[in-house]
Amino acid sequence: MSLSQILTPSIQKAIQALFDVTVEKIEFQTTRKEFEGDITMVIFPLLKVIKSNPAELGSKIGNYLVENVSEVARFNVVSGFLNIVIADSYYLNFFNEIKDNTKFGYVTPNPEDKAIMVEYSSPNTNKPLHLGHVRNNLLGYSVAEIIKASGKKVYKTQIINDRGIHICKSMLAWQKFGNGETLESSNLKGDKLVGKYYVEFDKAYKAEISQLMETGKTEEEAKKQSPIIIEAQEMLKKWESGDEAVISLWKMMNQWVYDGFAITYKNLGVNFDKYYYESNTYLLGKDVVQVGLDKGVFEKDPDGSVWIDLTDEGLDRKIVLRSDGTAVYMTQDIGTAIQRVKDMPDVGGMVYTVGNEQDYHFKVLFLILKKLGFDWASSLYHLSYGMVDLPSGKMKSREGTVVDADDLMQDMTDTAKQISEDLGKLDSYSAEEKAKLYQTIGLGALKYYILKVDPKKRILFNPEESVDFAGNTGPFIQYTYARIQSIIRKADFDFSAKTNTEELHEKEKELVKQIELFPEVIQNAAQNHSPALIANYTYDLVKEYNSFYQSVHILGETDLTKKVFRVQLSQKVAEVIKAAFTLLGIEVPERM
């Protein structure tokens, strides 16, 4: 229970006793740094129902609390704000209650509650994962873990875009230019091998367009009449008609990609509970169109195409079935959402981790599902995020200028190695220990740099800045965790017993207050689908700990009671750092 929840009934009781007035809501805020206090009550709203001046009103309530509420030690009134100082005993009792709770902040899911499905990654099988996919995966995975920690059952899923003209481009290029190249002969990861032929197709396509334009064709005509694009379109038709040779090639090359993706996911530290494939879902939703027509949700045009008119909702008319009876992406997404609930009836909501260029698509999708009458449609959320930019500019898959996810992770590990060696911190480590630590620091830097930013904001990714051992970075937080582990290893006395210290140093109190916020931060992060709230809370906790570390003796303290408490407090901070970083998918090193 938070401090505001504890104080609210006492303040309501005080107002009733002092002024014979019932107040439903008490407004609190954090006490400003320049004033003494642990929590501040805002007095101004009470002036509407109690005729008094703010200072007098605040003083009367403050005196009542000091006399009647054991948690309140003293108070001060500044303008219309009652700054309340909480007794050390409250914080000590709280600390003793949570000291040995290794799951502090996490809520056990209620089996009766509906589950949440979180979709992320959802790549195309014609190229490796790149920097944009990295942000998508890190966001989706972290949001899933945060929602789980907040007390919900969670399913992690993705829909793999394994069909379509883009897949056929890689397949056709491999047939034309590959000379039977395989994973073994190429010594490449499968996704990189297939991506290589996607780039080869684009080169050949552009060359043919140039040749056609030299004969007098317009660019638009050349794009349509290029022999290689016509061949790719023919291959797609063969795939859709079940041509055995095309299907066999498609299965082989897709498996190469799946195996490559699996390596990247493992290295990135993300996982999934359920996979969907567009090749199985692209026809889903067509049967729902008739249901929508029967309900009057959809309307049919004279040419046979089916639409939904959302102009009354501030949107536009959206097609859900073409005149030739073929589905569009919207139809497929409608069908897939419905199928997921059929597959897992305990799902009561879904989170779609997709870039902000699809904001409009998801507004329409969610609205259609609501109009079709699905009660779970009100619990759908688009986790919209901004692009990741680089100092060198935008990435283009067709031209092979993307920042490959595997290369990025290796670069981050190499950067961590260089900076660590320059700092000379790891002289006593074995080569194996160093390699593991470089990877932990490098990936921690990458993940933290991306996740500390609000998902909706665009990111300019700077690898060297992310691996800085000072400031709001992953390595800075990891280093503080490792420092605490060193303190714990050096503590050659029993510090497991309940603390019986009576007074708290100002820095100890501030640290306990910061720890106390953790459960609320998890709940807020889950509700807002924002790992940034967890990341920046952890940074604030670490800053507070480092201030504590600089201000008091820990192992050098001569008073054993104080020394025990400070080691316990350090240990709890480390546990919270580890728990918070686990929600971000980041490891913490025991030594650094």
Side-chain angles (χ1 to χ4, degrees):
M1 187 181 292
S2 69
L3 199 51
S4 60
Q5 290 172 316
I6 291 170
L7 289 176
T8 293
S10 297
I11 292 174
Q12 288 171 329
K13 189 175 178 182
I15 293 168
Q16 181 68 49
L18 293 168
F19 309 107
D20 196 25
V21 171
T22 301
V23 176
E24 292 296 322
K25 185 181 177 185
I26 304 297
E27 188 178 330
F28 293 98
Q29 63 182 37
T30 304
T31 305
R32 288 168 59 176
K33 291 288 186 184
E34 60 265 36
F35 302 118
E36 184 188 29
D38 300 304
I39 190 169
T40 294
M41 175 194 163
V42 183
I43 298 169
F44 294 114
L46 296 180
L47 300 177
K48 296 175 184 175
V49 291
I50 302 171
K51 291 188 177 180
S52 179
N53 67 67
E56 184 181 353
L57 184 56
S59 294
K60 286 182 177 178
I61 295 172
N63 283 317
Y64 181 96
L65 294 176
V66 170
E67 291 171 10
N68 295 279
V69 181
S70 61
E71 289 87 358
V72 178
R74 55 191 179 276
F75 70 92
N76 62 83
V77 180
V78 180
S79 298
F81 300 94
L82 171 60
N83 301 318
I84 302 169
V85 180
I86 302 300
D88 287 357
S89 58
Y90 164 81
Y91 291 107
L92 287 165
N93 289 337
F94 161 77
F95 183 78
N96 280 318
E97 284 173 11
I98 60 105
K99 177 174 71 71
D100 298 319
N101 179 5
T102 56
K103 289 291 182 181
F104 171 67
Y106 287 32
V107 177
T108 304
N110 181 347
E112 303 300 315
D113 287 349
K114 286 286 189 179
I116 303 294
M117 179 174 277
V118 181
E119 177 195 294
Y120 56 97
S121 196
S122 302
N124 294 331
T125 56
N126 64 327
K127 55 192 174 186
L129 302 176
H130 56 62
L131 178 55
H133 291 117
V134 169
R135 187 176 197 190
N136 182 300
N137 275 271
L138 296 182
L139 273 174
Y141 176 85
S142 181
V143 164
E145 292 297 314
I146 291 166
I147 292 173
K148 193 189 300 181
S150 76
K152 298 284 187 186
K153 184 177 182 181
V154 173
Y155 296 110
K156 302 171 190 168
T157 190
Q158 63 169 315
I159 181 163
I160 299 172
N161 303 304
D162 63 344
R163 65 169 287 279
I165 192 69
H166 52 289
I167 310 297
C168 292
K169 288 177 180 179
S170 294
M171 290 162 59
L172 183 62
W174 181 83
Q175 279 187 330
K176 283 181 168 295
F177 316 123
N179 298 314
E181 187 174 27
T182 63
L183 293 181
E184 291 74 20
S185 66
S186 70
N187 203 28
L188 289 172
K189 270 178 82 232
D191 51 338
K192 286 182 169 56
L193 179 58
V194 174
K196 168 184 166 183
Y197 287 103
Y198 185 61
V199 174
E200 288 299 319
F201 178 94
D202 192 59
K203 288 178 184 175
Y205 182 38
K206 283 179 176 174
E208 289 184 357
I209 291 170
S210 294
Q211 289 167 6
L212 287 167
M213 288 175 69
E214 285 174 7
T215 66
K217 304 286 186 186
T218 65
E219 184 177 359
E220 198 59 35
E221 288 171 336
K223 285 181 176 178
K224 290 178 180 176
Q225 294 174 24
S226 159
I228 199 168
I229 195 69
I230 292 171
E231 280 189 83
Q233 290 163 349
E234 286 299 318
M235 180 179 273
L236 179 58
K237 288 177 185 174
K238 286 182 178 180
W239 182 90
E240 290 179 345
S241 64
D243 181 280
E244 286 187 14
V246 172
I247 295 292
S248 177
L249 175 61
W250 171 78
K251 286 181 177 177
M252 179 182 75
M253 292 184 71
N254 270 344
Q255 192 58 54
W256 290 351
V257 176
Y258 300 150
D259 293 343
F261 284 171
I263 294 168
T264 305
Y265 290 141
K266 183 180 179 183
N267 290 337
L268 194 57
V270 301
N271 54 41
F272 304 90
D273 303 308
K274 178 79 173 172
Y275 293 82
Y276 286 86
Y277 298 88
E278 192 178 320
S279 54
N280 296 329
T281 65
Y282 77 106
L283 297 177
L284 288 177
K286 289 180 72 173
D287 55 339
V288 183
V289 171
Q290 188 56 52
V291 174
L293 284 167
D294 294 342
K295 286 186 171 184
V297 174
F298 300 144
E299 56 192 26
K300 186 176 283 190
D301 276 11
D303 66 356
S305 59
V306 180
W307 299 72
I308 183 168
D309 187 351
L310 298 172
T311 51
D312 288 347
E313 308 281 351
L315 304 174
D316 59 7
R317 286 184 91 228
K318 186 77 178 176
I319 192 168
V320 293
L321 203 66
R322 297 188 185 97
S323 57
D324 62 2
T326 56
V328 294
Y329 269 113
M330 183 63 69
T331 327
Q332 178 185 317
D333 283 352
I334 292 166
T336 303
I338 296 167
Q339 186 61 46
R340 285 170 170 172
V341 178
K342 286 179 182 175
D343 291 344
M344 282 164 278
D346 61 336
V347 168
M350 299 179 212
V351 176
Y352 294 81
T353 311
V354 182
N356 55 17
E357 69 276 5
Q358 294 293 328
D359 284 355
Y360 187 82
H361 175 85
F362 283 101
K363 279 182 187 175
V364 173
L365 173 63
F366 298 168
L367 197 49
I368 290 174
L369 289 165
K370 283 179 185 175
K371 287 181 178 291
L372 288 171
F374 296 104
D375 55 359
W376 42 263
S378 59
S379 298
L380 300 177
Y381 183 83
H382 175 205
L383 177 50
S384 173
Y385 62 90
M387 289 183 67
V388 183
D389 295 318
L390 294 157
S392 57
K394 287 187 177 181
M395 303 179 292
K396 294 180 181 177
S397 302
R398 289 186 301 277
E399 297 172 10
T401 60
V402 300
V403 176
D404 180 273
D406 298 308
D407 294 343
L408 175 63
M409 287 188 279
Q410 186 58 54
D411 287 347
M412 293 300 298
T413 299
D414 293 342
T415 302
K417 176 182 179 181
Q418 180 187 338
I419 292 175
S420 298
E421 286 178 347
D422 289 346
L423 293 173
K425 291 178 178 293
L426 310 175
D427 294 340
S428 63
Y429 282 46
S430 69
E432 188 178 342
E433 286 174 327
K434 285 180 181 179
K436 171 61 180 168
L437 185 58
Y438 297 146
Q439 185 181 45
T440 300
I441 296 170
L443 282 180
L446 169 67
K447 293 179 179 184
Y448 188 84
Y449 196 90
I450 286 176
L451 292 175
K452 74 177 181 180
V453 179
D454 182 278
K456 292 181 176 62
K457 293 182 179 177
R458 206 164 177 144
I459 296 176
L460 180 64
F461 182 68
N462 184 325
E464 288 198 2
E465 186 179 288
S466 73
V467 191
D468 196 339
F469 279 78
N472 190 5
T473 67
F476 173 67
I477 294 169
Q478 288 173 321
Y479 182 71
T480 300
Y481 176 86
R483 168 184 274 172
I484 295 172
Q485 296 311 303
S486 175
I487 291 170
I488 292 168
R489 285 192 297 271
K490 291 175 182 174
D492 56 352
F493 53 89
D494 180 15
F495 56 86
S496 60
K498 179 179 176 180
T499 186
N500 58 2
T501 188
E502 293 181 1
E503 288 186 3
L504 290 178
H505 186 282
E506 175 192 353
K507 294 297 181 181
E508 293 171 334
K509 184 175 180 179
E510 289 302 316
L511 205 45
V512 176
K513 283 165 65 175
Q514 190 67 24
I515 292 171
E516 188 184 25
L517 295 174
F518 188 45
E520 185 180 348
V521 171
I522 290 177
Q523 295 300 321
N524 287 340
Q527 288 164 18
N528 290 283
H529 304 86
S530 179
L533 296 177
I534 299 287
N536 288 292
Y537 161 80
T538 312
Y539 176 56
D540 288 341
L541 175 64
V542 164
K543 280 195 300 182
E544 202 63 66
Y545 181 80
N546 284 316
S547 177
F548 158 81
Y549 181 84
Q550 298 294 334
S551 302
V552 304
H553 294 294
I554 301 176
L555 296 180
E557 173 58 55
T558 55
D559 184 317
L560 182 60
T561 300
K562 289 181 180 178
K563 181 158 68 169
V564 166
F565 176 66
R566 288 171 185 172
V567 172
Q568 289 177 348
L569 189 52
S570 298
Q571 185 176 47
K572 197 67 202 176
V573 168
E575 286 178 8
V576 173
I577 291 171
K578 186 172 186 176
F581 262 31
T582 297
L583 297 180
L584 302 178
I586 302 175
E587 293 183 9
V588 282
E590 296 300 307
R591 295 194 301 151
M592 198 165 157

